[in-house]
Amino acid sequence: ASDVYKRQVLGCARLFELTGETLYRDVAEHFWRIVVDGHTYATGGHGSGEYFGPAGQLSARLSNTTCEGCNAHNLLRLTRTLLGWEPRPALAAYAEGT
């Protein structure tokens, strides 16, 4: 489930903050780009039933479980963490649009 991955990625973000190990930062930033660039609907939510499908193929997965709240909450938490490391326009735009 994508929410589980987001929680694991939030853990990686925290490990970067505690250890300075850049691998953890790279994981967090790469995951954010994958989700935002290939799995995010116009509303800012993503996934269907807490799962991702093929990137860029969102219309086929519209359902009553699209854009589940926990997913959006955890990606917004990750976004805010990344913004704290390095303010970037793409991060701020996502945070403002969600």
Side-chain angles (χ1 to χ4, degrees):
S2 59
D3 188 49
V4 171
Y5 297 140
K6 276 186 217 62
R7 284 182 274 136
Q8 290 174 345
V9 171
L10 285 166
C12 284
R14 184 67 179 135
L15 282 169
F16 167 69
E17 292 174 341
L18 293 172
T19 67
E21 180 65 44
T22 58
L23 172 65
Y24 297 122
R25 180 180 179 149
D26 294 345
V27 167
E29 290 181 341
H30 185 69
F31 183 84
W32 187 89
R33 281 191 304 276
I34 287 172
V35 174
V36 171
D37 293 345
H39 300 281
T40 300
Y41 294 89
T43 60
H46 40 272
S48 180
E50 295 191 8
Y51 290 91
F52 296 135
Q57 298 179 16
L58 301 173
S59 62
R61 293 190 315 275
L62 289 173
S63 71
N64 63 346
T65 61
T66 300
C67 301
E68 195 270 332
C70 291
N71 288 342
H73 172 76
N74 283 323
L75 194 64
L76 191 53
R77 286 177 58 199
L78 178 60
T79 302
R80 289 180 180 151
T81 298
L82 298 178
L83 271 168
W85 297 345
E86 181 184 347
R88 293 188 309 251
L91 295 167
Y94 181 81
E96 287 292 317
T98 302

